[in-house]
Structures are given as C-alpha cells and as structure tokens.
C-alpha cells in the first residue's frame, strides 16, 4: 500500500517502489495510519473492558470467576506473550540492519510465541467449557468470552500477518520493507499491552479479591 | 530531472524478483463500467459515493413519504404496526448511514485532496475498499426487505425491543451486522483521510493555512475513529445475545438493557457532529467566496470545531434524561450540553461576521449556505431547550424531538451539503449548475422543509408521540398532520427539481472554466474537471486562502516543465473485498437457524476477503507515468 507520490517523477523500469515518498511530516503514511488505527482500537478494547468491569460481580449463576480462573497457568501464558514482544523488537532491529537471517529467526519465534499463547487460550476455553462456563451461562461467561475472544482474534490475525512476512521473506523482495515490519510490530506490541490490562482486570483483580 | 532516491544496496536481502507472486492480472480498462469498478482515483470514488448517497437519500425519502401518507389522517391503516416500525427504522438508518454520511464522504474524497494540493489520498486502494464495503453494507441492510422484513427496532435499536425474545425474525440481525460492515467502511476511510490530511499537504500548507473544510474533515474523521468502536462492540454484544444467547442485555441473567443505551449514545452523540461538522466546513467555504471577504475569525472557527468534537463525547446522556440516571448525572450532562452550545454559537457569529459588509452574490450555493445558518440556528435553539432536563422530560419521544433533529439534519446538514453540490458541481462536471431551475428548487426546499417540520414542534409540545403509527381524531392533531404530510410532498418535489437540474446542467449547463466563483482555495486553480493527477505541478503554499492571495498579487499558476507524474494503478481487490464482506455478513445473519450452512458461508466470505487482502498486498500499488503536457490520463 503506497501513496500517490507527490514529488517523485522518474522514468524507466528501475522503480522498485523504493523511491522516497513525499510526506509533509516526514513520517511514513503507513506509520501514521497504524497509530491512528491503534487509537481507534483502544476504544474497541476500552468498551469491552468497561463492560467487563461494570458487569463484574453481577452474575446470577455459577460458575463465578474465582471458581474457574487458573491464575498460575494464565500468568505463564501472559509471560509468553510479553516475551513475544521482545522477540518482535529483535525482529524489527534485525530488518533495520538488513540482517535477513536473524530477521527470519526472530519473526518465526514471535509467531511461535503467539501460537503458544493461543494454545493456552484454547486450553483455557475448553477447560472452562467443561466446568460449565458457556457464553450463555452468566454475565461472567458472556463478558469473558467476548473480551478474551476479541483479543485472541487480534493475536491470531497478528500471527497470520507475521507468518505471511516470514514466508514472503523466502521468495519476495525485502528491500525497503523495514517500515512495513515496524508497522506490523506496532500492532503486535499494542495487542500485548492490551493483554496486560485484560490480565489485570480479569485475573489479578480476582487474585487480590476486589469485589469478589 | 529525475529525483530518484537510490535504494541502499543490500546484497544480504532476498534475490531481485520482479513483481513476486502477483495473484492475478491488473485491471486495464480505462473506459466503461470496469474502469469505474476498479478505479482508485479519489475523484471517481467521490462521484460514486455521491451517486450512491443521493440514491439512498431518495430511498429514505420515499420511506418518509410513505409514513407521512399513513399519518396524514387519524386512524389510518395504510401502513400499520410492524411495517411502520420497519419504515421509521430504515428511514433513520438509511438517511444517517447511507445518505448523509456517504455524501459527506463524497466531499472528503473529491475536495480534500484538491484543497491540500495532493495527487490523491494517502492510500488510494484503501479508499476504493471503503467505497465497496460501504456499498456492500448498504445493499446488505436493504436485502432485509426481501428476506423476511427490514430492521424494526428504531435507528437506536434499544434492547429488549431488539432482543431475540421479543424480535424473533432476522430484522435486527440485518441491522446489527449491516452497521458493523458500514462501520468498517467508515473507519477505513477515516484512517485514510486522517493520514492524508496529516501527511499529504502541499509544501507550505501549515495546519493554520488549511481550508476550514479540511479542518472539519480531519476533526470529523477523528470522531469516527473514536466513536465507531463503542457502537461496534455494542452491536457485537447484541449479536452475541441474539445468536448465542449471551447475557449482555438480558435482564433475566442480570444484564442491563440501559448499558446498550449508554454505548449507543457514546457513539450516537459524536455521530451527530460527524454529520454536521462537514457541512459546517462547506458553509465556511461558500460564505467568504460569495461575500467576497475573507472568513471572519478563521482560528476561532477552527478551534470551535475542535472543541465541539471534543465536547461531543461528553454529552451523550442528554438522550437519556428520562431513564432515571439520578440527579448528579442528569445535572452533569445538562451542564455539558449547555456548554457545547457555546462554540456552536461562536461559529454562527463568525459566519454572520463574514457576511457583514460583504459584497454578496445570491447564487444557489450562497442561498443554501444562508439557509444553513438560519435553519441550523433554530435546530440549535431547540437543542438548548433539551439541555434543560426538566423541560426535556416533556419533550422526550415527542414530535418536538423529531422537529429538532430534522432542523439540524435537513435544515443544517442537508442544506449545507446541497450548497456544497452547487458550489463544487462546476469543478466536478465542468459546467455550472443552472440557476434558472436551481433558485426555484432552493425556495421550494426552504418552504417545503419549514412547512413540514415547524408544525412538528407544535404537535410535539401538544403531546404527539413519535414512532407511533396512528393517532385518534380526538387528540386534536388532525389539521397539523394533514398539513405536514402535504408539505412533505413539496419538500420531496424540491429534491426532484434539484436532481432534474443536475441532469440538465450536466448536458447543457454553462461551461464553467477553472474558477467560476473567483474562489480562494487550491481546487479552483486547476481545470474543471481536474486531470487525473490533479496538479501538473505541486503548488507551494504561502498563505491562508493561497489561491486568492496569488490572484491578488498577480502570481500565475506554475506551468508544467514536462516532468512525468507518477500515479498508482487501478486494482480489482477493493471490489473483491467488498464482495467478501457481503458474503460474510449474509452468513452471519443465519448462524441462529442453520449453524453449519451459515458458518460455511461466513468462512467462504472471509476467505474471499483474505484472498483479496493477499492479492492486494502482493500486487503493490504499481506505477504509471503521465505526461501533463499530453491529454493522456485525463478521462473526464
């Protein structure tokens, strides 16, 4: 995705879409758009998280959060997700150095860590299902599955995006793509940061017994 | 001459492959239907937005007229019960999401890049994506008429009215899923316009040299970015309730239907400003041009617009005064609602200051702009009346409210938008929109509108409730309702004249030339209609109202020195994405009935979308080089 360049006026077939694009601020369009999208995404998660907090402790039927939440297991999966952010940072650093080998390694591991997190989440969802917590059981079930499900969808799309870059790097041209990787990274970090808030609101709040 | 930036040599990176993995050929049509379906030119996309929006305004207008026929006489049975509910729901939904918003979007598309001196928007293919997803959502939501009944829970869709227990059909499913699809289109477009305005301005166009319309566009798009997520999540929660039996708005499971109202209005009130700020921008362009004076108090108008946008998020509960929120909440929202009237008043006085002492030219754009000020003021005054909670209790859910928001949305938004059509029609078509038919069409609009909606204040204060399909003769509403219904047809006729005028002028109108109004902003410095690349030479901006300043100081527009202009290529994928979204939405409606079949349909739709995203990414924007000294590339 690129813009209609305002300035660049060049002949020939040597254009490998790497020509410098005009931008008023000097920041690439893609980056500005991603930041704007993340602002919008904050409101998406803000709405989900607010709904969870407002409905906290208002479920009329069991199972209640304290009965099903497994804090140690989710702490482990949260740790994995946060470490994937570190790997993402290494990925961006590698592509900025034009170090394609390291780039492939780190982006692959970022995907793997994302997948591990998703694995934990499917395990948790299955476990809750067996303990009788469904989306229609009570308010906890509705809010929990909708919020963490939306987050999981974000992670899954992020993994798909990263994996696409990993595969692309074997047959495609990675020159000039550092900005794209950086934008992908912005998204990935955001999804991780949101998880910190969700983890606090769902799990830690239960652990310290607020409102329980 | 070529200012090509050399690629840093990076031998460690992947081998040099030309166009790796294109999933299909690029479109080649330069004329005919396919050139429109695959275009990424912001001007063509703007025209398509406008045509679609005007079509849906006619559709929403027909729905309104059918309701007015029903309400013309007491105890009528032309359209009753659920069908009437479907009419007012679809009238509101259509006018807001399929009419006024896309029409503002048409102006964003066509005008903003021209006013900031850009060759296109920041992401031309994403722009086409927004258009086609909007079309997909609009068609989808109207498919409900043929598939068991249109949405019937009002444009606000309050549960439990829209809960599955009380609304068994798929009416509300079409509504909720359709609005999410339309939201995707709006958010994508907003990301694009935000980036475009931040990043694609011509050199020298600082923020405080931007035309007011560009300012109002960026504020509106920030509002869309921040206001659409709450409604999207609320709609998702409603879908969860309806499809999977979740508890969000189910009182039996502890859910609170009032929560929906909060989420809806957290979106719904900024939405009001999303509808009115762009017309305010248009009016701020028309008034100085037709008063032959600079805009009075430019910075105040800009900051008032920004303040309105900010405060727009702090007034939502004034839609809910009668729900029993408690004294503190009612008081707080009463105060914030009163505060938001201040920047609006500031703008009105600035517009009056612009006209004051001006050399006024009363052509149609000016007539509509003046109508905007007058009618929007009346709508604003009745709005201030609502901010007083005690009186609002009397007015809530009566025709007084209907009168209020139609003054804001027709007298205000539609007036401004029709004025905008008259103002920029010469730029788009190269011909002036005829005055002979245009002036009578305006006066019919003005009187038809006032005759339709002013009496609603009276019947409303006398207690006539809205969204009720009939009334008894003994209530004393008969005469006014007959008058209102008759006037509605006058209003409708004025639109017919306007459209006839558009068609006639397109064929026979006076040739406009570059600058028919002696304009102030950059779009008037280029040919009408503009060439595909807009500006042969990127302008350098030194002043507010730069083109006006250059004309006054005798600076000629720069001539092309023959440098080729780089433009991106058309693409099939935005259109395919729209098709994918449509299939996906259709599948989701029927999840409740046929889980497997519906899931398969949704997944197919998603795969179509995914295919087009990959095709899109792999093909890249492409490039063609146009010579501004030849006619090639200018298709209009």
């Amino acid at each position: 995705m690129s813009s209609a360049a305002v300035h660049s006026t060049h002949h020939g077939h040597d254009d490998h879409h790497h020509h410098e694009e005009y931008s008023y601020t000097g920041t690439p369009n893609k980056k500005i758009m991603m930041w704007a999208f993340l602002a919008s995404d904050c409101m998406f998660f803000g709405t989900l998280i607010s709904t969870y907090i407002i409905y906290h402790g208002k479920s009329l039927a069991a199972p209640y959060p304290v009965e099903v939440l497994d804090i140690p297991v989710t702490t482990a999966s949260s740790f994995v997700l946060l470490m994937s952010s570190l790997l993402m940072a290494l990925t961006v650093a590698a592509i900025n150095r034009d170090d394609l080998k390291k780039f492939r390694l780190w982006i692959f591991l970022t995907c793997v860590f994302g997948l591990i997190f998703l694995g934990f989440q499917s395990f948790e969802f299955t476990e809750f299902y067996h303990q009788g917590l469904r989306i229609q059981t009570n308010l906890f079930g509705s809010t929990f599955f909708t919020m963490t499900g939306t987050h999981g969808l974000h992670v899954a799309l992020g993994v798909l995006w990263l994996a696409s870059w990993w595969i692309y790097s074997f047959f495609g041209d990675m020159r000039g793509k550092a900005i794209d990787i950086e934008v992908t990274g912005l998204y990935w970090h955001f999804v991780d940061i949101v998880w910190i808030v969700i983890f606090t609101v769902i799990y830690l709040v239960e652990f310290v017994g607020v409102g329980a | 001459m070529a200012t090509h930036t050399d690629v840093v040599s990076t031998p460690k990176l992947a081998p040099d492959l030309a166009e790796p993995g294109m999933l299909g050929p690029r479109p080649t049509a330069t004329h005919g239907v396919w050139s429109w379906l695959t275009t990424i030119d912001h001007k063509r996309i703007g025209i398509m937005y406008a045509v679609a929006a005007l079509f849906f305004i006619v559709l929403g207008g027909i729905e309104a007229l059918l309701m007015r026929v029903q309400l013309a006489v007491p105890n009528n049975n032309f359209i009753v019960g659920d069908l009437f509910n479907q009419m007012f729901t679809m009238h509101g939904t259509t006018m807001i999401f399929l009419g006024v918003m896309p029409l503002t979007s048409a102006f964003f598309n066509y005008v903003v890049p021209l006013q900031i001196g850009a060759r296109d928007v920041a992401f031309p293919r994403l722009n086409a994506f927004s258009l086609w997803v909007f079309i997909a959502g609009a068609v989808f939501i109207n498919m409900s008429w043929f598939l068991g009944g249109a949405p019937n829970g009002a444009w606000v869709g309050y549960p439990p009215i829209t809960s599955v227990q009380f609304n068994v059909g798929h009416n509300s499913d079409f509504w909720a899923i359709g609005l999410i699809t339309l939201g995707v289109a709006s958010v994508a477009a907003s990301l694009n316009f935000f980036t475009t305005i931040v990043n694609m301005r011509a050199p020298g166009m600082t923020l405080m040299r931007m035309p007011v319309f560009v300012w109002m566009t960026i504020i509106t798009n920030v509002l869309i970015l921040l206001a659409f997520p709450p409604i999207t999540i609320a709609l998702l929660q409603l879908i969860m309730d309806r499809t999977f039996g979740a508890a969000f708005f189910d009182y039996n499971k502890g859910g609170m239907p009032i929560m929906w109202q909060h989420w809806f209005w957290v979106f719904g009130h900024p939405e009001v400003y999303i509808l009115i700020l762009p017309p305010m921008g248009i009016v701020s362009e028309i008034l100085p041009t037709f008063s032959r004076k600079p805009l009075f108090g430019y910075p105040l108008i800009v900051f008032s617009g920004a303040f309105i946008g900010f405060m727009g998020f702090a007034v939502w509960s004034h839609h809910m005064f009668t729900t029993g929120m408690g004294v503190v909440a009612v008081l707080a929202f009463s105060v914030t609602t009163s505060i938001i009237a201040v920047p609006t008043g500031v703008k009105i006085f600035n517009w009056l200051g612009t006209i004051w002492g001006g050399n006024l030219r009363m052509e149609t754009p000016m007539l509509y702009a003046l109508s905007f000020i007058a009618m929007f003021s009346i709508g604003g005054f009745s709005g201030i009346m609502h901010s007083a909670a005690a009186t609002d209790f009397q007015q809530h859910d009566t025709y007084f409210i209907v009168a209020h928001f139609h003054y804001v949305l027709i007298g205000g938004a539609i007036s401004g938008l029709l004025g905008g059509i008259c103002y920029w029609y010469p730029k788009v078509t190269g011909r002036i929109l005829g005055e002979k038919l245009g002036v009578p069409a305006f006066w019919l609009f003005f009187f038809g509108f006032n005759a339709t909606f002013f009496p609603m204040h009276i019947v409303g204060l006398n207690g006539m409730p809205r969204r009720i399909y009939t009334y008894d003769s003994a209530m004393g509403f008969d005469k006014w309702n007959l008058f209102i219904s008759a006037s509605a047809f006058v209003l409708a006729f004025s639109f017919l004249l306007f459209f006839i005028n558009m068609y006639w002028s397109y064929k026979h109108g006076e040739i406009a030339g570059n600058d028919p109004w002696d304009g102030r902003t950059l779009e008037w410095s280029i040919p009408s209609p503009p060439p595909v690349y807009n500006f042969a030479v990127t302008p350098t901006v030194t002043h507010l109202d730069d083109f006006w300043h250059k004309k006054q100081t005798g600076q000629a527009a720069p001539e092309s020195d023959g440098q080729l202009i780089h433009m991106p290529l058309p693409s099939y994928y935005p259109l395919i994405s729209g098709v994918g979204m449509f299939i996906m939405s259709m599948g989701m409606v029927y999840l409740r009935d046929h889980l497997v079949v519906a899931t398969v349909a949704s997944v197919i739709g998603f795969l179509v979308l995914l295919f087009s995203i990959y095709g899109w990414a792999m093909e890249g924007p492409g490039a063609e080089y146009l010579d501004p000294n030849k006619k090639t590339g200018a298709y209009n």
Side-chain angles (χ1 to χ4, degrees):
Chain A
M1 254 186 307
S2 169
S3 60
V6 174
H7 269 344
S8 65
T9 48
H10 55 124
H11 297 287
H13 342 79
D14 60 334
D15 59 295
H16 235 302
H17 36 82
H18 299 318
H19 51 76
E20 199 128 285
E21 281 168 0
Y22 170 78
S23 100
Y24 188 92
T25 59
T27 307
N29 287 340
K30 291 171 186 173
K31 209 169 183 176
I32 289 180
M33 190 185 85
M34 182 47 81
W35 277 111
F37 170 76
L38 296 182
S40 192
D41 221 14
C42 277
M43 293 298 285
F44 276 102
F45 281 105
T47 310
L48 287 163
I49 293 167
S50 313
T51 307
Y52 185 88
I53 293 173
I54 290 165
Y55 281 152
H56 184 247
K58 293 206 163 56
S59 290
L60 298 182
Y64 300 106
V66 274
E67 297 164 19
V68 290
L69 292 177
D70 188 341
I71 290 168
V73 168
T74 315
T75 306
S77 78
S78 304
F79 181 75
V80 170
L81 192 65
L82 291 186
M83 285 308 104
S84 80
S85 253
L86 173 66
L87 293 166
M88 187 71 232
L90 291 170
T91 307
V92 173
I95 195 71
N96 276 330
R97 292 193 312 269
D98 292 341
D99 186 346
L100 200 58
K101 256 189 169 166
K102 285 276 164 52
F103 163 78
R104 285 189 189 128
L105 172 70
W106 296 130
I107 202 166
F108 177 76
L109 285 176
T110 315
C111 287
V112 171
F113 275 44
L115 285 173
I116 293 174
F117 176 82
L118 288 175
F120 269 106
Q121 196 169 34
S122 355
F123 166 76
E124 188 185 35
F125 277 25
T126 323
E127 195 61 19
F128 286 5
Y129 185 85
H130 288 310
Q131 292 179 41
L133 185 71
R134 318 270 157 92
I135 202 160
Q136 61 270 44
T137 308
N138 56 18
L139 279 172
F140 172 60
S142 300
T143 50
F144 174 85
F145 284 118
T146 306
M147 172 160 62
T148 56
T150 306
H151 181 265
L153 195 67
H154 273 75
V155 176
L157 289 175
V159 168
L160 190 64
W161 195 358
L162 293 168
S164 303
W165 277 124
W166 181 67
I167 294 166
Y168 182 85
S169 75
F170 288 101
F171 70 90
D173 183 354
M174 289 304 288
R175 287 178 301 178
K177 295 289 198 298
I179 175 65
D180 302 74
I181 302 298
E182 199 178 331
V183 167
T184 317
L186 281 176
Y187 172 83
W188 188 259
H189 292 308
F190 175 79
V191 170
D192 288 1
I193 291 167
V194 167
W195 181 253
I196 298 177
V197 181
I198 294 177
F199 181 66
T200 308
V201 168
I202 297 183
Y203 298 87
L204 295 187
V205 159
E206 228 51 63
F207 184 65
V208 297
V210 177
Chain B
M1 52 176 282
T3 55
H4 182 87
T5 312
D6 283 328
V7 179
V8 183
S9 180
T10 52
K12 279 177 288 181
L13 297 187
D16 200 0
L17 296 174
E19 302 284 6
M22 286 262 293
L23 296 188
R26 284 183 199 275
T28 50
T30 53
H31 292 85
V33 177
W34 277 105
S35 73
W36 285 86
L37 293 178
T38 58
T39 187
I40 53 162
D41 179 353
H42 71 97
K43 297 181 286 300
R44 288 187 143 197
I45 291 172
I47 292 168
M48 286 191 280
Y49 262 115
V51 170
L54 292 174
F55 170 80
F56 283 111
I57 284 176
V58 170
L59 191 64
I62 291 170
E63 285 155 5
L65 289 179
L66 291 173
M67 286 190 286
R68 280 324 310 178
V69 171
Q70 162 65 19
L71 292 169
V73 291
N75 296 317
N76 199 359
N77 49 19
F78 175 60
I79 291 175
V80 296
D82 190 54
L83 189 57
F84 190 83
N85 296 348
Q86 295 178 24
M87 281 300 161
F88 68 68
T89 303
M90 283 307 284
H91 168 69
T93 305
T94 302
M95 286 305 198
I96 289 168
F97 296 102
L98 313 182
V100 174
M101 275 186 80
L103 197 50
T104 63
S105 217
F107 285 107
F108 300 163
N109 266 287
Y110 204 97
V111 176
V112 166
L114 299 182
Q115 284 197 331
I116 63 174
R119 295 241 156 87
D120 208 318
V121 293
F123 303 102
R125 289 180 296 167
L126 187 67
N127 203 24
F129 171 87
S130 298
L131 171 73
W132 296 118
V133 174
F134 152 64
I135 301 274
V139 172
F140 168 78
I141 210 164
N142 276 290
M143 291 288 283
S144 60
W145 288 108
F146 313 104
L147 296 171
N152 53 3
W155 91 280
V156 296
Y158 286 178
I161 293 169
T162 47
S163 297
V164 72
Q165 295 89 333
F166 305 101
N167 204 327
V168 187
H170 285 295
N171 317 47
S172 297
D173 297 315
F174 274 103
W175 183 75
I177 295 163
L179 286 196
I180 288 184
T181 309
L182 293 168
V184 170
S186 293
V187 169
S190 292
L191 292 170
N192 211 342
F193 283 104
F194 179 81
T195 312
T196 302
I197 295 171
V198 169
N199 236 12
M200 304 292 283
R201 281 170 284 148
M205 180 166 280
T206 58
L207 289 177
M208 294 313 273
R209 286 180 195 155
M210 294 197 313
V212 174
F213 180 65
V214 177
W215 258 111
M216 294 307 126
T217 303
I218 194 168
I219 295 168
T220 303
N221 284 303
V222 170
L223 290 184
I224 291 175
L225 285 179
L226 301 180
F228 268 72
I231 189 66
T232 305
I233 295 300
L235 290 163
L236 176 71
Q237 292 169 345
L238 185 64
I239 293 167
M240 286 293 184
D241 274 13
R242 291 182 59 84
T243 308
F244 303 111
F248 288 106
F249 308 115
D250 184 352
Y251 186 77
N252 294 322
K253 291 177 179 170
M256 298 185 283
I258 194 79
M259 183 104 112
W260 168 273
Q261 298 195 22
H262 280 290
W263 288 141
F264 183 84
W265 290 113
V266 163
F267 148 80
H269 203 83
E271 172 69 18
V272 175
Y273 298 106
I274 291 167
L275 298 172
I276 200 66
L277 285 173
M280 283 179 166
I282 291 170
V283 167
S284 305
E285 297 300 320
I286 294 174
L287 288 173
T289 307
F290 286 81
S291 307
R292 298 168 162 275
K293 276 179 65 191
L295 188 66
F296 184 83
Y298 167 89
L300 268 180
I301 288 199
V302 167
F303 290 133
S304 298
F307 187 63
I308 289 173
F310 179 77
M311 284 301 290
F313 282 96
V315 298
W316 80 86
S317 284
H318 68 215
H319 297 270
M320 302 165 57
F321 280 153
T322 58
T323 57
M325 296 182 297
V327 176
V328 176
V330 167
L331 197 62
F333 283 100
S334 229
V335 170
T336 53
T337 305
S338 307
I339 289 173
I340 206 166
V342 175
T344 314
V346 167
K347 284 190 156 200
I348 299 227
F349 280 108
N350 277 299
W351 289 325
L352 295 179
T354 306
I355 309 167
W356 188 266
N359 180 6
L360 307 191
R361 286 183 308 183
M362 292 305 223
E363 285 160 273
T364 40
M366 185 63 163
L367 293 175
Y368 280 105
L370 294 175
S371 149
F372 174 95
I373 300 178
M375 299 300 96
F376 183 76
S377 295
I378 294 177
F381 292 142
S382 54
I384 297 173
M385 291 170 72
H386 301 143
S387 76
T391 60
D392 184 70
F393 270 66
Q394 293 301 313
Q395 295 149 4
H396 189 86
D397 269 350
T398 69
Y399 266 86
F400 191 85
I401 301 285
V402 178
H404 157 71
F405 68 73
H406 281 90
Y407 263 86
V408 177
L409 289 179
I410 300 184
I414 298 274
S415 262
L417 291 167
L418 292 181
I421 291 177
C422 298
Y423 183 57
W424 280 300
Y425 188 88
K427 185 51 62 184
V428 179
T429 63
R431 291 174 187 272
I432 306 266
L433 191 55
E435 291 282 307
K436 258 187 197 149
L437 211 49
V439 174
F442 165 77
W443 287 110
L444 266 182
F445 166 80
F446 187 79
F447 285 111
F449 162 72
N450 278 289
T452 307
F453 291 99
F454 197 83
M456 288 189 187
H457 289 110
I458 298 165
V459 290
L461 286 183
N462 283 339
M464 182 167 169
R466 62 191 285 211
R467 296 182 182 134
I468 301 285
Y469 64 81
T470 195
Y471 52 91
D472 194 79
S473 187
M475 301 178 92
F477 305 143
D478 301 14
K479 280 178 189 158
W480 279 126
N481 271 296
L482 189 59
F483 181 74
I484 291 168
S485 292
S487 307
F489 280 92
V490 176
L491 180 59
F493 184 65
S494 82
F495 276 90
L496 183 64
L497 278 190
F498 192 94
F499 294 140
I500 291 173
N501 194 22
M502 281 176 82
Y503 179 76
W504 185 87
S505 303
Y506 182 70
K507 296 280 178 202
H508 311 291
E510 189 191 328
I511 299 294
N514 291 8
D515 185 19
W517 312 123
D518 195 7
R520 298 140 48 245
T521 40
L522 291 174
E523 74 269 32
W524 304 110
S525 70
I526 56 173
S528 312
V532 63
Y533 45 78
N534 298 348
F535 295 88
V537 178
T538 302
T540 305
V541 177
T542 52
H543 287 80
L544 177 65
D545 295 343
D546 194 67
F547 181 52
W548 174 265
H549 179 263
K550 286 201 165 71
K551 282 190 288 189
Q552 295 297 314
T553 53
Q555 299 176 48
E559 296 278 318
S560 166
D561 59 1
Q563 284 198 356
L564 296 187
I565 296 165
H566 167 215
M567 297 299 291
L569 294 171
S571 173
Y572 289 115
Y573 295 110
L575 179 64
I576 301 174
S577 307
V579 173
M581 291 285 285
F582 183 84
I583 300 172
M584 199 158 71
S585 308
M586 271 296 176
M588 282 169 65
V589 169
Y590 295 101
L591 280 177
R592 215 151 25 95
D593 306 336
H594 314 283
L595 186 64
V596 179
V597 182
T599 307
V600 169
S602 294
V603 170
I604 290 173
F606 177 73
L607 290 177
V608 172
L609 180 62
L610 203 63
F611 163 78
S612 73
I613 289 172
Y614 277 102
W616 179 324
M618 299 301 281
E619 86 177 345
E624 62 177 340
Y625 298 93
L626 303 179
D627 184 346
N629 294 325
K630 290 178 187 163
K631 280 287 174 195
T632 53
Y635 43 65
N636 274 317

